[in-house]
Amino acid sequence: GAVVSQHPSRVICKSGTSVKIECRSLDFQATTMFWYRQFPKQSLMLMATSNEGSKATYEQGVEKDKFLINHASLTLSTLTVTSAHPEDSSFYICSAPGHITEGYTFGSGTRLTVV
Amino acid sequence: AQSVTQLDSQVPVFEEAPVELRCNYSSSVSVYLFWYVQYPNQGLQLLLKYLSGSTLVKGINGFEAEFNKSQTSFHLRKPSVHISDTAEYFCAVRTSGTASKLTFGTGTRLQVTL
């Protein structure tokens, strides 16, 4: 079945630095990628939707300049957390929609800790 | 817009006991319904889905769910749980668009003990 590979699985960075998270669709083309953020013991909150070859669509309240999304090819979407702060520490998950009958395929998530 | 309500944030249950995790949704259009499971520090895994047809759907790991249109519910059930079923369970809906968003419920923590 469809697989989305997400890297890194864990990252610790210092305040003020930037971190890039990659999601690759391994055996299918993902023209759309959804990026979610999940706080401990909470649900997934959609941050933005990336579309190959065009600008990402951000949900209300999500800072575009802080969470940079790039979808340069049909198999790769990236999320860069710029000038990270401790409050950005969270679990980030990407997801690509499969065929309408197949639901979505999720990456394995990235645990970001900003110290 | 659609929304999903999971009434129980936590459900403790003994091993080999049956369990039901509740999910209700609201939408002005037809939706597809999903249940996902999340183990600690992992992504989400699809348990089962309802698209159309039979209202009782069976998924992986012995789970099943029943779609009830009149009650706008999609409760998840398992007749006998195992310790390994301890995880977070999310109910989700999406509309029929090819790249439509998934809307998640707040999740239910299933805690199975001996």
Side-chain angles (χ1 to χ4, degrees), chain A residues 38 43 59 101 104 108 111, chain B residues 38 41 49 94 100-101 105:
Chain A
Q38 185 181 31
S43 189
E59 297 298 302
T101 62
Y104 285 30
S108 54
R111 171 71 61 193
Chain B
Q38 184 182 33
N41 292 312
K49 58 184 183 279
R94 68 181 282 192
S100 61
K101 304 173 187 178

Side-chain angles (χ1 to χ4, degrees), chain A residues 20-33:
Chain A
K20 179 184 284 189
I21 301 169
E22 292 188 349
C23 279
R24 293 179 184 274
S25 56
L26 297 186
D27 49 3
F28 69 105
Q29 293 181 334
T31 55
T32 299
M33 191 75 74

Side-chain angles (χ1 to χ4, degrees), chain A residues 10 32 34 36 38 41-44 46 49 51 57 59 91 93 95 97-109 111, chain B residues 6 32 34 36 38 40-46 49 51 88 90 94-107 109:
Chain A
R10 290 177 179 270
T32 299
F34 296 102
Y36 294 88
Q38 185 181 31
K41 301 186 186 303
Q42 294 188 28
S43 189
L44 283 75
L46 181 65
T49 304
N51 296 289
T57 303
E59 297 298 302
F91 194 59
I93 308 175
S95 174
H99 186 271
I100 191 65
T101 62
E102 296 301 319
Y104 285 30
T105 299
F106 286 83
S108 54
R111 171 71 61 193
Chain B
Q6 291 183 246
Y32 301 124
F34 303 86
Y36 288 88
Q38 184 182 33
N41 292 312
Q42 294 187 29
L44 275 66
Q45 181 182 9
L46 181 66
K49 58 184 183 279
L51 305 175
E88 193 80 22
F90 292 97
R94 68 181 282 192
T95 58
S96 59
T98 54
S100 61
K101 304 173 187 178
L102 262 181
T103 300
F104 288 92
T106 50
R109 170 74 177 174

